[in-house]
Amino acid sequence: MSEHPQAKAERRPTRQRAALADELAGAAEFRSAQDIHASLTASGARVGLATVYRNLQAMAGDGEVDVIRTADGEAIYRACATDQHHHHVVCRACGLTVEVTGDAVERWAEAVAAQHGFSDVRHTLEIDGLCADCAARR
Amino acid sequence: MSEHPQAKAERRPTRQRAALADELAGAAEFRSAQDIHASLTASGARVGLATVYRNLQAMAGDGEVDVIRTADGEAIYRACATDQHHHHVVCRACGLTVEVTGDAVERWAEAVAAQHGFSDVRHTLEIDGLCADCAARR
DNA sequence: TTATGTGCAAAGGGTTTGCACTCCG
DNA sequence: CGGAGTGCAAACCCTTTGCACATAA
């Protein structure tokens, strides 16, 4: 094993990293690296796209941000509200995101996998729908 | 609504489509479009990569094949064993895939989403681990 | 000073598309 | 014949990398 799930890496604090952290802290939805970079640039923060990618990647590795993939393969990031394992319910229309935990599901996944002889089980689960607001304005 | 989940599209039967269907039928694991194309080529079937992509996409749209994304954003496909909603348990080492259904999870997802005001709920769930064989040969 | 972090721009890699050609119906 | 289906290669797009420069410790 060479992976450290919640390993706290000691990265050197820099202006661009702070700006990125800020940007993430201010957003409630998942956003693409490009989107974040654009926002940063618009705000006057001079940060390179590569830097955004590199930091996002590092933070994801340390579990500081969640990463999920859109249907078309684009990675979107979001600051974790909690540091424990959780899943998301995302609004397809506006991107509103709610984090949820589900012990029942975790156990189910584990059990089902074990039932088929699998070990060292992990899983990905994303739920999407229409949030109350978006559903109402239809 | 413009999506037809299991809509049966009437595509014109062609040599390449047949080859692709064959290739998919013979595989038990998820494979990338490129991989499938290589296999097809190796078998002597002259099929263009673009055609593989186009058909795979069409079939996925009609629910004839399952599509999931690898962690690095690559799409991998597999012929569905069943036409009803299901999930997968995939071996990280060899790709062995088992399809499973889980009413409990379906209901849980629906309930959790509803609890937060979401409607028209959908979800994605993939489970991965090490199959018995691969775990043994470590 | 020295290793780490950053910017820029070029390179990568998977997927999509334009266009002319082929083949089913 | 007419249009769906194909092949090829160029175009796309997100992401990664190489390398020289800036900066935290």
Side-chain angles (χ1 to χ4, degrees):
Chain A
M1 292 291 117
S2 59
E3 292 176 32
H4 290 225
Q6 307 290 53
K8 165 149 286 163
E10 41 215 67
R11 283 173 268 123
R12 180 186 299 176
T14 64
R15 170 179 58 72
Q16 19 297 77
R17 198 190 308 294
L20 176 55
D22 248 45
E23 185 65 35
L24 286 171
E29 299 82 35
F30 279 94
R31 305 172 59 199
S32 70
Q34 313 250 7
D35 184 22
I36 294 173
H37 174 253
S39 231
L40 241 24
T41 299
S43 314
R46 296 174 300 90
V47 182
L49 178 57
T51 299
V52 172
Y53 272 109
R54 281 191 277 239
N55 279 305
L56 241 23
Q57 206 168 267
M59 296 171 81
D62 294 347
E64 291 174 41
V65 297
D66 290 322
V67 194
I68 58 181
R69 292 264 174 190
T70 59
D72 52 303
E74 186 180 33
I76 48 180
Y77 311 77
R78 183 194 181 216
C80 291
T82 161
D83 56 358
Q84 64 178 49
H85 181 74
H86 57 269
H87 299 293
H88 305 97
V89 182
V90 187
C91 174
R92 277 198 294 281
C94 71
L96 168 69
T97 306
V98 179
E99 296 190 350
V100 299
T101 58
D103 299 327
V105 181
E106 318 295 330
R107 281 197 299 276
W108 174 81
E110 187 81 33
V112 162
Q115 212 168 79
H116 290 283
F118 284 68
S119 55
D120 190 14
V121 182
R122 297 186 303 202
H123 63 275
T124 344
L125 167 60
E126 296 301 335
I127 306 175
D128 65 285
L130 253 35
C131 73
D133 285 353
C134 290
R137 78 174 57 113
R138 293 236 144 178
Chain B
M1 295 285 118
S2 58
E3 292 176 31
H4 290 224
Q6 305 292 52
K8 167 149 285 165
E10 41 217 66
R11 282 174 268 121
R12 181 188 297 175
T14 64
R15 169 179 58 74
Q16 15 305 70
R17 196 192 306 296
L20 176 55
D22 248 45
E23 186 65 34
L24 284 171
E29 300 81 35
F30 278 93
R31 305 171 59 197
S32 70
Q34 313 250 8
D35 183 23
I36 294 173
H37 174 252
S39 229
L40 241 25
T41 300
S43 313
R46 298 173 301 89
V47 182
L49 178 56
T51 299
V52 172
Y53 273 109
R54 281 191 278 239
N55 279 305
L56 240 23
Q57 206 169 266
M59 296 170 83
D62 294 347
E64 290 173 41
V65 297
D66 290 320
V67 195
I68 59 182
R69 291 264 173 189
T70 59
D72 54 300
E74 186 181 35
I76 48 180
Y77 311 76
R78 183 193 181 220
C80 292
T82 159
D83 57 358
Q84 64 179 50
H85 180 73
H86 57 269
H87 298 292
H88 305 97
V89 182
V90 187
C91 175
R92 277 198 293 283
C94 71
L96 168 70
T97 304
V98 179
E99 296 190 350
V100 300
T101 57
D103 299 327
V105 182
E106 317 295 330
R107 281 197 299 274
W108 175 83
E110 186 81 36
V112 162
Q115 213 167 76
H116 290 284
F118 284 70
S119 55
D120 191 13
V121 182
R122 298 187 301 203
H123 63 273
T124 345
L125 166 60
E126 296 302 335
I127 305 175
D128 65 285
L130 253 35
C131 71
D133 286 352
C134 289
R137 78 171 60 111
R138 294 233 141 180

